[in-house]
Amino acid sequence: MDTILDYCLSYCCMCCGCYMARPYDDDAYEPLLQDEERAAVNELLTYLNREHEKKPVLTKQRLKSLCVLTYSDNADLHRSAALCLAEISERIMHPLTTEMMEPVIVLLESEDVETQKAASLAVSNFALIGPDSNKEIIVESDTLPILIRLLDSTDVEVQCNACGCITTLATSNVNKAKIVSCGAVPPLVRLAKESDIRVQRNATGALLNLTHLEKNREILVAYGVVKVFVLLLSSKDTDIQYYCAAAISNLAVDEKHRPFVVREGNHKVLKLLITLLESLSDKVVCQACFALRNLSSEGDNQLAVVEFGALPLLLQIMRKCSKETLAAAVAALRNLSIHKKNEIPIVEEGFIPELGRVLREPYLWDAHCHAAGTLRNLAAGSKTQYRLQIILEQDGLDSLTAAFIDLTSPVSVQTEVTAALAVIAGNTNARRRLVKLGNGRVFTRLVNLAAQSTSPEVQYNSAGTIGQLTQIELPTEIIESNLQAMLKYLGVFLESQESNFVHIALWTILHLVKDASFKKSFSECHLRHMVQNLYERPPDAPQVKQLAFEILRATE
């Protein structure tokens, strides 16, 4: 940068100092630099050489100097101004202004390729390095149409810079919509198919960011991005693989787009994503898992992914990858476990012990959610006895309860774990095991959550599990130690406007009144009166009326 400016300044001095001034009519004989231009060069040289300025400020005088070079008739000064802006953009930390963008816009529109290179790099740096407000100023300054035109440049560096800038601008949802409406998608799709790996990388990165906005996805699909993304999954560049897998994952969030993705190459996308599960890049593996998870929201895809050999690779990922990738792998497995034909293969592949290990790892909340959801799916499928036995024998239930009694777990984990426990507790052996685990701590935790949780779903799941446990003979000490909390949650449920809450409370009470201590407390408190009122209601819920009648008869 200094060399360029020094060159301009010294050339000016040589011309002015070596030749006598003489009258002329032709502009070709004018000195290369005017006095104002020379002063501007000096000002910028001084500014750029101040290395002690950790956070340099572009003052009005310095901005004026840049404008002098920008609006000069000298093409070399245009390049110097653009190069100066490129260097400033790497160092300056204070926000852009519309005044600062004026010379940038002029330089971007230059027909000189070198000027375009430096100016587009400056815009990319302002967007990437500076504060978020820079992105707004860049877009509000009508820079987008110019950047999109530069995508059609024949120069690779200009293409890369323009793509990179659009990628950064597209991190804002407002900008994502504007970028698409300005017509950026067709040139980006074209550049994603270019042979230059840098251009491909930047173009796919920009397209990925655009897929994050739901309303953009239909437009992107219409312009053929699916074919491009699927094709580039085979790229040798890990960044391109990552961008394309992530973009496919985003597109597959929408049910209407999944068929377009999977139809490409007759399940080719599933096979390529499964191949990427063996990548040495953790981020690529993670996005391939997410893409498979979203595509496996469809039943046919769930079967195909297993048939194409994903299970052993997912198991391997769960054993060795980072926390985020582990969660992504378990999320993919959870969707695969929805299909009844996948239940036995998942169990026989050896996932139960690994799911148990995940549930015992602290603070892996996302992974805990998906691990519990997978166990629930396996326990709730068809012909469950075999799988339930494996879940009990291979630490599945014990691990679920370990996650369940963790008081630091968020509501999301509590929801999934209690849902799994409610299903597994349908098995008699599982009920006995749950009652014994932790010397009654599991039962107490269930009662407390049913009574106190802020989540209706957690309350209902906990109550459902308690209801299952009451079908076996509970130790008297467990009932007596939890009696007051049980009466509390049952009262709350009986007052609920949700019929399923009322039903589960009545069903549980009907089993609990077989215990003498509970029967005595129930008969002496307000709950029996509440049951009486439910029985006397108009017969709009026959099951509720029947349960209430049976309770009243049992407690006479």
Side-chain angles (χ1 to χ4, degrees):
M1 181 65 242
D2 292 352
T3 304
I4 296 292
L5 291 173
D6 281 331
Y7 168 77
C8 292
L9 186 58
S10 62
Y11 194 25
C12 163
C13 294
M14 180 186 72
C15 294
C16 294
C18 298
Y19 295 93
M20 295 178 59
R22 65 190 185 107
Y24 52 87
D25 296 322
D26 193 328
D27 287 346
Y29 293 96
E30 286 185 1
L32 284 180
L33 297 185
Q34 303 297 325
D35 289 344
E36 187 180 30
E37 294 169 342
R38 188 184 303 111
V41 170
N42 272 322
E43 170 70 26
L44 293 172
L45 270 174
T46 304
Y47 170 51
L48 292 174
N49 285 325
R50 287 180 178 173
E51 294 182 1
H52 63 277
E53 289 191 22
K54 293 182 180 180
K55 294 182 180 180
V57 177
L58 192 59
T59 62
K60 288 185 178 181
Q61 181 57 43
R62 292 165 181 170
L63 181 58
K64 180 181 177 183
S65 298
L66 271 173
C67 289
V68 168
L69 302 190
T70 299
Y71 295 107
S72 166
D73 292 331
N74 188 321
D76 283 332
L77 290 186
H78 298 164
R79 292 174 192 163
S80 297
L83 287 166
C84 187
L85 276 166
E87 182 155 337
I88 289 170
S89 67
E90 293 179 355
R91 298 166 56 182
I92 198 166
M93 296 305 294
H94 68 79
L96 271 178
T97 64
T98 52
E99 291 78 12
M100 290 166 63
M101 280 301 298
E102 287 178 8
V104 179
I105 296 294
V106 173
L107 295 168
L108 278 175
E109 292 185 302
S110 169
E111 294 183 1
D112 178 69
V113 171
E114 296 303 317
T115 303
Q116 291 175 356
K117 286 180 186 178
S120 57
L121 177 60
V123 177
S124 186
N125 287 340
F126 281 133
L128 183 63
I129 300 171
D132 285 343
S133 60
N134 283 7
K135 299 182 186 72
E136 296 175 18
I137 294 296
I138 290 169
V139 173
E140 288 170 4
S141 301
D142 290 328
T143 315
L144 272 178
I146 304 169
L147 289 170
I148 292 169
R149 285 200 297 272
L150 291 178
L151 294 176
D152 291 324
S153 170
T154 57
D155 184 85
V156 169
E157 192 171 334
V158 173
Q159 292 174 348
C160 280
N161 290 345
C163 278
C165 188
I166 290 172
T167 301
T168 306
L169 293 175
T171 56
S172 154
N173 279 343
V174 174
N175 291 345
K176 288 178 177 72
K178 289 181 179 177
I179 290 166
V180 170
S181 64
C182 284
V185 175
L188 286 172
V189 171
R190 178 179 56 78
L191 291 178
K193 295 184 281 188
E194 287 290 322
S195 58
D196 189 281
I197 199 74
R198 295 170 300 166
V199 175
Q200 277 190 342
R201 188 183 298 130
N202 285 1
T204 51
L207 288 168
L208 163 61
N209 283 354
L210 296 178
T211 64
H212 288 296
L213 190 64
E214 183 179 356
K215 66 180 182 180
N216 281 350
R217 293 173 195 153
E218 195 160 347
I219 298 170
L220 289 161
V221 169
Y223 276 112
V225 295
V226 171
K227 188 171 186 177
V228 174
F229 289 144
V230 173
L231 177 68
L232 292 178
L233 285 175
S234 301
S235 171
K236 294 181 180 179
D237 183 84
T238 55
D239 285 331
I240 293 175
Q241 292 173 350
Y242 167 79
Y243 294 148
C244 292
I248 288 170
S249 176
N250 290 342
L251 293 175
V253 168
D254 297 324
E255 183 180 357
K256 61 184 175 181
H257 295 145
R258 287 179 208 136
F260 289 100
V261 175
V262 177
R263 262 203 313 264
E264 187 60 46
N266 188 24
H267 289 106
K268 179 182 179 182
V269 65
L270 298 180
K271 295 173 183 176
L272 289 172
L273 288 168
I274 291 169
T275 300
L276 291 181
L277 296 180
E278 298 183 88
S279 171
L280 297 177
S281 169
D282 191 71
K283 67 178 185 180
V284 171
V285 174
C286 184
Q287 289 306 321
C289 287
F290 279 133
L292 287 169
R293 186 270 305 269
N294 290 344
L295 289 170
S296 294
S297 298
E298 303 287 337
D300 290 345
N301 295 343
Q302 291 160 7
L303 272 178
V305 169
V306 171
E307 288 173 5
F308 294 151
L311 290 183
L313 299 176
L314 288 173
L315 186 61
Q316 188 177 12
I317 291 165
M318 288 172 61
R319 288 172 174 165
K320 70 174 186 178
C321 283
S322 67
K323 292 180 179 180
E324 184 182 357
T325 304
L326 167 64
V330 183
L333 181 69
R334 179 181 185 170
N335 274 8
L336 296 177
S337 70
I338 293 170
H339 203 293
K340 63 180 182 180
K341 289 186 178 179
N342 289 339
E343 293 164 357
I344 297 300
I346 289 171
V347 170
E348 294 183 347
E349 191 66 44
F351 277 98
I352 302 299
E354 201 59 34
L355 290 169
R357 184 192 64 79
V358 170
L359 285 163
R360 291 181 183 274
E361 284 284 328
Y363 308 118
L364 300 181
W365 307 133
D366 286 345
H368 287 178
C369 286
H370 297 307
T374 303
L375 288 173
R376 178 183 180 278
N377 289 343
L378 295 175
S382 58
K383 300 178 181 179
T384 61
Q385 285 305 112
Y386 167 70
R387 293 189 305 282
L388 279 169
Q389 191 61 35
I390 297 295
I391 289 172
L392 291 175
E393 290 175 356
Q394 297 185 357
D395 199 41
L397 180 58
D398 289 29
S399 299
L400 264 176
T401 56
F404 174 65
I405 61 176
D406 182 354
L407 299 179
T408 64
S409 64
V411 171
S412 58
V413 175
Q414 294 170 10
T415 302
E416 296 291 351
V417 171
T418 53
L421 289 175
V423 172
I424 294 172
N427 176 271
T428 302
N429 291 332
R431 291 174 195 148
R432 296 193 180 104
R433 181 71 182 153
L434 280 170
V435 170
K436 292 178 181 178
L437 279 171
N439 294 319
R441 288 173 62 200
V442 173
F443 190 88
T444 299
R445 175 81 164 142
L446 285 166
V447 172
N448 289 338
L449 285 176
Q452 301 171 11
S453 176
T454 57
S455 165
E457 194 170 355
V458 172
Q459 284 186 304
Y460 185 77
N461 291 342
S462 299
T465 307
I466 295 168
Q468 294 278 22
L469 297 181
T470 60
Q471 293 188 66
I472 62 171
E473 186 176 349
L474 294 173
T476 301
E477 59 270 21
I478 283 185
I479 293 178
E480 290 180 349
S481 62
N482 293 283
L483 188 55
Q484 293 307 311
M486 289 168 67
L487 294 174
K488 178 181 177 181
Y489 96 76
L490 289 168
V492 171
F493 274 48
L494 289 174
E495 289 179 332
S496 175
Q497 298 301 309
E498 297 289 335
S499 60
N500 54 343
F501 275 63
V502 176
H503 188 277
I504 193 69
L506 292 171
W507 183 63
T508 303
I509 292 169
L510 183 60
H511 289 91
L512 282 172
V513 293
K514 296 173 185 176
D515 178 86
S517 59
F518 181 87
K519 181 178 180 179
K520 183 174 183 297
S521 296
F522 171 80
S523 299
E524 293 174 354
C525 75
H526 66 292
L527 291 187
R528 193 177 192 284
H529 181 67
M530 294 174 71
V531 172
Q532 181 75 42
N533 289 340
L534 287 169
Y535 175 69
E536 292 173 356
R537 277 185 188 176
D540 55 342
Q543 287 184 324
V544 167
K545 192 174 183 69
Q546 180 61 33
L547 285 170
F549 170 74
E550 291 179 19
I551 291 168
L552 294 172
R553 186 174 62 179
T555 56
E556 287 177 345

